[in-house]
Amino acid sequence: KGNKKRKRTEDEEKVSEDQSSSITQEPPVKAKKAIKKERSEAEKKLSERENALQQADEEDQKLFQNKVKQKKKASQAITKNVVNSATGATAKQQKRKRVADETADRRTVFVGNLPVSCTVQILKSLFKRYGQIQSIRFRSLHQQELSSNVSFSCSRHKLHPNAKFVNAYVVFKEECDAQKALKENGTEIASGFHIRVDTASKTSSHDNKRSVFLGNLSYDIRDDAVREHFHDCGDVVGVRVVRDRRTGLGKGFGYVLFENTDAVHLALKLNNSVLMGRKIRVQRVTDKRKAQKSPDQSRAPKNRVDKKKKKEKSCSNDSFVGEKATPLKKSTKPKRLKTIAKSKAGKNK
């Protein structure tokens, strides 16, 4: 009995120890689970906050980009409007300038082959009887040194020593006065200087039927020398020798304008005549546009007509006139075989 009681007490003590150990072990496991739950919830909240912040940043970036695009579009529209307005303004200004230039050119008169000693007062005294003069300006003032400035050399009257003539433009206040001033064309303003007066507008057409082209001219030739050379052909209206703007030397060719077309036929006879030690070349003046168009246009119809004629000749049934030829009948007789003589046949064997 005593041993049984001891065993029971030992068993009870073991059970109590096991229960106490289980009680002591349970709290740390539950605490760990609670800590894990708390951590997982905190992580979820942090992730949600981070996602919300990222979305907010993306939306802010999109809004900023949209604003930038709108600003760019607005600035581009403004620049386009400004450019369009500027181009419109510039186009209007250009049109106004063109109109002003055309009107000014109609009122201006070109005066060529003036002596170097000519002044503004001399030109005014010559043209003031035709109307009020607005301005006078000299051109073709050849420099003493090509590297120097034109305005500076002209203001100091330092011109090239070989300069013998000067050109000028006279501007009138009215267009009709400029047309009246054309009467002074060909007048001798000084000894050996017959001036050439013409309108400065581009609309003035040159009559090619009354003019002659000159080639192989001397570089130092004067207009009056050409005038005297062709004086016997007829009345000379004007002489134009093409010159270099800066040096004033001739380029070797020029033009002569007569009053009548009959003088052109006489001037062509002076081809290969000697002028200042050179055999000059005299030719008619032709329009380049007509010369380029005429050969192509003249060739095309001829070729077409020739082709049509060839086709008509080849295809026409009436080209052969006469009786029709009857075809030969073939003979139906059999051909005879060639016979060889016996003597020849013996020899061949």
Side-chain angles (χ1 to χ4, degrees):
K1 290 181 180 177
N3 290 327
K4 290 180 180 178
K5 287 181 180 179
R6 286 178 184 176
K7 287 180 182 180
R8 287 177 183 175
T9 52
E10 287 177 358
D11 294 330
E12 288 176 356
E13 287 176 357
K14 286 180 181 179
V15 170
S16 61
E17 286 176 358
D18 293 331
Q19 289 177 356
S20 62
S21 65
S22 63
I23 291 164
T24 54
Q25 289 176 359
E26 285 177 2
V29 173
K30 290 180 180 179
K32 286 179 181 179
K33 289 181 180 179
I35 290 164
K36 286 182 181 179
K37 287 181 181 179
E38 288 177 357
R39 285 179 182 175
S40 61
E41 290 176 356
E43 287 176 355
K44 287 181 182 179
K45 288 180 180 179
L46 287 170
S47 62
E48 288 177 355
R49 287 179 183 177
E50 288 176 355
N51 293 325
L53 289 170
Q54 287 179 358
Q55 290 177 358
D57 291 334
E58 289 176 356
E59 289 177 357
D60 291 334
Q61 287 179 358
K62 288 180 181 179
L63 292 171
F64 181 72
Q65 289 177 357
N66 291 326
K67 287 180 180 179
V68 170
K69 286 181 181 179
Q70 288 177 359
K71 286 181 180 179
K72 284 183 180 179
K73 287 180 181 179
S75 63
Q76 288 177 357
I78 291 165
T79 53
K80 284 181 181 178
N81 293 326
V82 170
V83 169
N84 291 327
S85 62
T87 52
T90 53
K92 288 180 181 178
Q93 289 176 359
Q94 288 177 358
K95 286 181 181 179
R96 289 175 184 174
K97 285 181 180 179
R98 286 176 185 173
V99 172
D101 292 336
E102 288 176 358
T103 55
D105 290 338
R106 289 174 185 173
R107 293 185 291 107
T108 57
V109 169
F110 172 79
V111 184
N113 198 24
L114 290 169
V116 178
S117 60
C118 184
T119 59
V120 177
Q121 294 178 356
I122 295 170
L123 288 177
K124 278 185 178 180
S125 63
L126 183 64
F127 291 101
K128 68 181 180 181
R129 57 185 174 180
Y130 298 107
Q132 293 182 354
I133 296 170
Q134 187 176 356
S135 64
I136 295 172
R137 60 183 185 273
F138 287 94
R139 290 291 181 269
S140 302
L141 298 166
H142 313 301
Q143 306 173 40
Q144 188 173 3
E145 295 178 359
L146 295 176
S147 60
S148 62
N149 191 4
V150 178
S151 61
F152 179 76
S153 63
C154 296
S155 63
R156 297 295 182 90
H157 299 284
K158 293 180 179 180
L159 300 177
H160 199 274
N162 295 328
K164 298 175 183 178
F165 68 94
V166 176
N167 299 327
Y169 289 94
V170 181
V171 183
F172 291 91
K173 288 187 177 180
E174 293 181 0
E175 185 178 351
C176 59
D177 297 335
Q179 295 296 325
K180 292 177 184 177
L182 297 176
K183 295 178 182 179
E184 294 293 332
N185 185 23
T187 58
E188 190 175 1
I189 195 171
S191 61
F193 288 95
H194 291 81
I195 61 173
R196 181 166 61 92
V197 183
D198 193 3
T199 56
S201 62
K202 296 180 181 179
T203 56
S204 62
S205 60
H206 183 74
D207 192 359
N208 294 326
K209 293 180 180 179
R210 295 187 293 115
S211 60
V212 168
F213 172 80
L214 305 178
N216 197 24
L217 294 174
S218 178
Y219 298 118
D220 297 331
I221 196 166
R222 285 187 175 184
D223 294 350
D224 289 332
V226 178
R227 186 184 290 272
E228 290 177 0
H229 190 72
F230 290 94
H231 181 69
D232 296 333
C233 299
D235 294 333
V236 179
V237 176
V239 176
R240 184 193 169 199
V241 178
V242 180
R243 301 180 184 275
D244 190 11
R245 292 182 180 179
R246 303 194 72 182
T247 59
L249 296 173
K251 292 185 177 181
F253 63 94
Y255 301 91
V256 179
L257 180 65
F258 297 97
E259 282 189 0
N260 299 319
T261 56
D262 296 333
V264 175
H265 298 286
L266 296 174
L268 292 173
K269 294 180 181 180
L270 294 176
N271 189 20
N272 293 325
S273 61
V274 179
L275 178 62
M276 293 183 68
R278 284 175 174 266
K279 287 185 178 182
I280 61 172
R281 189 171 66 257
V282 183
Q283 294 177 354
R284 289 182 180 273
V285 179
T286 56
D287 292 332
K288 292 181 180 180
R289 296 178 182 177
K290 291 181 180 179
Q292 291 176 357
K293 290 181 181 179
S294 59
D296 296 332
Q297 291 178 354
S298 62
R299 288 177 185 174
K302 287 182 180 179
N303 293 329
R304 290 175 184 172
V305 171
D306 293 336
K307 287 179 181 179
K308 287 181 180 179
K309 286 181 179 178
K310 287 179 180 178
K311 287 181 180 179
E312 289 176 358
K313 286 180 180 179
S314 61
C315 298
S316 62
N317 294 321
D318 298 331
S319 60
F320 178 76
V321 179
E323 296 179 355
K324 292 182 179 180
T326 56
L328 295 172
K329 294 181 178 179
K330 293 181 179 180
S331 62
T332 58
K333 293 180 180 180
K335 292 181 179 180
R336 293 180 180 178
L337 295 171
K338 291 181 179 181
T339 58
I340 300 169
K342 293 181 179 179
S343 61
K344 291 182 178 179
K347 288 179 181 179
N348 290 327
K349 290 179 181 179

